[in-house]
Amino acid sequence: MASVKQKTLRLILGDQLNIKHSWYTKVDESVTYVLMEIRSETDYAKHHIQKVLGFFGAMQQFAQTLKQQKHNVIYIHLNDKNNTHSFAQNCSWLISTHGFTHFEYQLPDEYRVDEHLKQFADTLTISAKVFDTEHFFSKRDELKELFDGKKSYLMETFYRHMRKKHDVLIEDNGKPLMGKWNFDEDNRQKLPKAHKPVSPKLFQNDLSNIEKEITKAGVTTIGKVDSAHFLWPINREQSLELLEFFVAHCLPLFGTFQDAMAPNEWSIYHSRLSFSLNIKLISPKEVVDKAIENYNKHPYKIAFHQLEGFVRQIIGWREYMRGIYWLKMPEYANLNYFNHSEKLPNWYWTGKTNMNCLKQAIHQSLEFAYAHHIQRLMITGNFALLAGVNPDEVDAWYLGIYIDALEWVEITNTRGMSQFADGGIVGTKPYVSSATYIHKMSSYCTGCYYDKAKKTGDKACPFNSLYWNFYSRHEDKLAKNPRIGMMYNVWNKMAPQAKAELLEQADYYLTHINEL
């Protein structure tokens, strides 16, 4: 009796658009790929319209690429009548309808999807197999293995491990190129007044038909978009174009100004490759290799600290955050070290605030679905932490508003680095500041309704009193932290009247937070 040939269904998630994956090296008539636009993914957070469009636009183009390569592809659109809006239910329907005898998927990057697909695979009466995404420098459990038996998880230790393991910027003797591992001290300059950063490379993708489908489905979104001229890359070719643009025009000044902020300068010298990377249109290795290649071609044009700062973000910070995520989930999503419980101010969704730094950062986020790491950490994140906002609310906002936000990279940055809700797993201290830092790194304070120099009184900058109020409230948890002991020395030397005035000012601002 002749054996029945295996018939395989392979699921591709919206952030698994890696055409270089070994799955696609040969065309197999017995294999069918499925991609699906589903409400469980559009609705788990209130997403920016550009984020939903970017994902669906990239998925549709990826499916088209697979078809052009002669692979069998099923694409389930948002409004298809048989769409159950569940990975498991859609796959079950396809398996029974088309007679598939084997199911395969790639490791999801998000815990909730990982659990969903593991449970689905366990219920199947046909065989199932899971594959690596073949994208990251590190394995899910690599950080866990590296720090086995240790109490802390220093990013710098992980970064050096990754550099050595993958022979990135390393001498033949195993020492770091240029004699140091980290050149971060060279990368903290404010934009000079007359300095005009390079204009960002934008794309002109017409996704207006997809926007109509999103509207028809009733998906709730935030933010703005010109869907006929969608500016983000949605395929591999455009992602490689953006990479080429970055290494040629932005990398020479990337490090110097990577922390700088200025009104109407939303991109500065940042690569904006995070969306392409996070949905796997390009790989971190391709990005790092291209940056190093360009540095080697133009050693007099690109200083080493520019290159090292960028490489650290990709091979160090990005991979480290993923390692922490898989080490600490699902418990990590509930950590709330300070027991913060306040609501996110209403103007986080509109940008309608008199604080110019927050107005600029939020308006930019709503317009472009993007803000760079210091805007996220030291403007929007800083204020939320000072205001005692519940980390759940902060997570939901960051996860929704940014085109590159996927939980594995968002929650560790937000709940960990930004809100210190993990009590120091990711960061060694809370990243809070008064107006002094914001003025040092930006020109936001110029022309602001509030006075950056005033701590109390009419139009005093809210960051100033909220800063001291934060330290006062959490002295029991923070006073012994060696990185911030100096701040308590300053606080404890203040006159009782000055302290009382600061706390009274902070209390007024917190009570009237939606009016700031």
Side-chain angles (χ1 to χ4, degrees):
M1 187 172 171
S3 61
V4 178
K5 188 178 181 184
Q6 182 168 282
K7 191 176 177 185
T8 301
L9 178 67
R10 284 178 170 171
L11 171 64
I12 304 169
L13 302 178
D15 62 348
Q16 295 178 342
L17 310 183
N18 174 15
I19 201 65
K20 296 292 187 181
H21 195 278
S22 57
W23 270 6
Y24 315 119
T25 52
K26 66 175 183 177
V27 175
D28 187 339
E29 274 299 312
S30 70
V31 174
T32 298
Y33 296 94
V34 61
L35 296 94
M36 55 186 81
E37 302 169 357
I38 56 178
R39 291 298 295 266
S40 64
E41 297 307 292
T42 61
D43 296 3
Y44 69 86
K46 192 186 289 185
H47 297 292
H48 199 295
I49 180 61
Q50 290 183 39
K51 185 179 182 184
V52 183
L53 279 173
F55 267 83
F56 288 177
M59 287 163 63
Q60 289 185 18
Q61 294 223 353
F62 190 78
Q64 198 58 41
T65 299
L66 289 180
K67 287 176 182 176
Q68 288 168 356
Q69 294 181 0
K70 307 302 182 186
H71 294 285
N72 297 324
V73 179
I74 295 172
Y75 194 95
I76 300 175
H77 290 269
L78 190 64
N79 292 306
D80 285 354
K81 65 176 183 178
N82 290 323
N83 189 350
T84 65
H85 296 284
S86 157
F87 290 124
Q89 289 177 31
N90 278 340
C91 287
S92 288
W93 181 80
L94 290 171
I95 288 166
S96 62
T97 304
H98 296 275
F100 290 108
T101 61
H102 182 65
F103 174 69
E104 294 179 348
Y105 68 100
Q106 294 174 26
L107 284 171
D109 288 329
E110 297 201 331
Y111 182 84
R112 65 183 175 83
V113 183
D114 191 56
E115 288 294 299
H116 176 72
L117 291 180
K118 274 196 294 192
Q119 289 167 14
F120 170 63
D122 287 344
T123 66
L124 288 174
T125 55
I126 63 172
S127 57
K129 187 176 180 182
V130 62
F131 289 76
D132 192 86
T133 58
E134 302 173 10
H135 171 80
F136 293 96
F137 276 104
S138 58
K139 301 297 182 187
R140 272 187 183 181
D141 58 356
E142 192 162 333
L143 180 140
K144 179 183 179 181
E145 291 171 358
L146 179 66
F147 291 103
D148 185 40
K150 297 186 171 64
K151 291 182 179 179
S152 60
Y153 313 95
L154 282 178
M155 199 287 280
E156 185 68 21
T157 302
F158 180 80
Y159 172 52
R160 295 181 187 188
H161 161 74
M162 295 298 287
R163 287 262 301 268
K164 290 175 187 174
K165 179 182 175 183
H166 297 282
D167 194 23
V168 175
L169 304 181
I170 295 289
E171 300 276 14
D172 291 339
N173 61 4
K175 300 289 185 183
L177 204 61
M178 300 297 176
K180 282 198 310 182
W181 291 101
N182 191 316
F183 287 76
D184 197 36
E185 69 272 13
D186 297 318
N187 294 337
R188 294 171 183 159
Q189 290 189 31
K190 183 175 182 174
L191 283 175
K193 274 186 180 179
H195 184 92
K196 180 66 181 170
V198 63
S199 296
K201 180 173 182 56
L202 309 178
F203 297 92
Q204 297 284 320
N205 296 299
D206 187 354
L207 302 185
S208 50
N209 286 335
I210 300 178
E211 186 185 17
K212 287 175 187 171
E213 292 300 310
I214 292 167
T215 303
K216 180 182 174 183
V219 175
T220 302
T221 58
I222 57 173
K224 304 172 184 175
V225 72
D226 176 359
S227 60
H229 304 90
F230 188 76
L231 59 89
W232 291 94
I234 58 168
N235 54 46
R236 178 168 170 77
E237 292 70 32
Q238 290 179 349
S239 301
L240 291 171
E241 274 185 59
L242 189 57
L243 174 57
E244 289 283 357
F245 178 87
F246 168 72
V247 298
H249 302 287
C250 301
L251 185 58
L253 287 173
F254 165 78
T256 302
F257 298 122
Q258 68 172 330
D259 288 3
M261 301 172 284
N264 305 313
E265 295 292 351
W266 70 280
S267 186
I268 309 184
Y269 293 99
H270 290 272
S271 73
R272 294 184 300 106
L273 289 164
S274 50
F275 175 62
S276 294
L277 275 166
N278 291 355
I279 64 173
K280 303 180 183 57
L281 291 173
I282 52 175
S283 74
K285 186 177 189 308
E286 287 177 301
V287 171
V288 167
D289 286 352
K290 179 61 69 173
I292 293 172
E293 175 191 312
N294 215 58
Y295 167 79
N296 288 333
K297 280 183 184 175
H298 309 285
Y300 302 106
K301 182 182 176 185
I302 304 171
F304 186 76
H305 72 90
Q306 316 283 4
L307 175 68
E308 188 277 321
F310 180 69
V311 167
R312 183 163 12 100
Q313 283 197 359
I314 304 297
I315 201 172
W317 197 246
R318 184 172 186 264
E319 302 277 333
Y320 171 77
M321 285 306 204
R322 176 172 175 260
I324 292 289
Y325 180 80
W326 286 109
L327 175 66
K328 296 296 182 180
M329 284 294 283
E331 295 79 13
Y332 199 88
N334 297 310
L335 296 177
N336 188 354
Y337 182 68
F338 294 121
N339 296 314
H340 282 170
S341 59
E342 297 301 321
K343 298 281 289 180
L344 197 69
N346 296 338
W347 38 260
Y348 265 72
W349 303 98
T350 65
K352 293 178 180 177
T353 170
N354 288 320
M355 289 177 282
N356 196 40
C357 58
L358 282 154
K359 181 192 296 181
Q360 294 284 339
I362 294 169
H363 273 298
Q364 174 190 308
S365 302
L366 290 168
E367 185 171 355
F368 298 108
Y370 176 81
H372 71 67
H373 64 286
I374 294 299
Q375 291 174 303
R376 300 187 201 195
L377 178 67
M378 298 309 299
I379 303 297
T380 51
N382 182 11
F383 188 88
L385 181 53
L386 294 178
V389 176
N390 189 319
D392 292 348
E393 298 237 333
V394 185
D395 275 341
W397 186 79
Y398 278 100
L399 190 57
I401 201 166
Y402 293 120
I403 193 167
D404 57 11
L406 295 167
E407 189 187 62
W408 68 269
V409 71
E410 174 275 324
I411 199 169
T412 41
N413 274 291
T414 302
R415 196 169 286 256
M417 186 71 172
S418 170
Q419 300 303 293
F420 204 74
D422 65 2
I425 294 171
V426 166
T428 53
K429 66 169 186 174
Y431 280 85
V432 292
S433 80
S434 63
T436 305
Y437 173 85
I438 296 169
H439 180 58
K440 177 186 174 186
M441 293 309 304
S442 79
S443 52
Y444 288 150
C445 296
T446 304
C448 182
Y449 172 86
Y450 294 102
D451 186 342
K452 68 180 185 299
K454 290 184 72 174
K455 294 181 175 63
T456 58
D458 186 45
K459 296 185 179 179
C461 176
F463 278 91
N464 293 333
S465 57
L466 292 179
Y467 175 76
W468 289 112
N469 178 68
F470 171 82
Y471 277 127
S472 174
R473 272 201 337 254
H474 300 301
E475 188 167 3
D476 59 326
K477 291 186 173 179
L478 297 177
K480 292 180 181 177
N481 186 314
R483 292 199 65 194
I484 49 178
M486 184 175 66
M487 304 318 299
Y488 283 105
N489 290 338
V490 174
W491 174 246
N492 291 327
K493 287 175 184 176
M494 283 188 198
Q497 181 65 23
K499 283 184 175 183
E501 287 175 2
L502 279 166
L503 297 180
E504 185 179 345
Q505 182 81 46
D507 185 62
Y508 176 82
Y509 280 151
L510 291 171
T511 304
H512 298 83
I513 199 162
N514 287 312
E515 301 159 28
L516 294 182

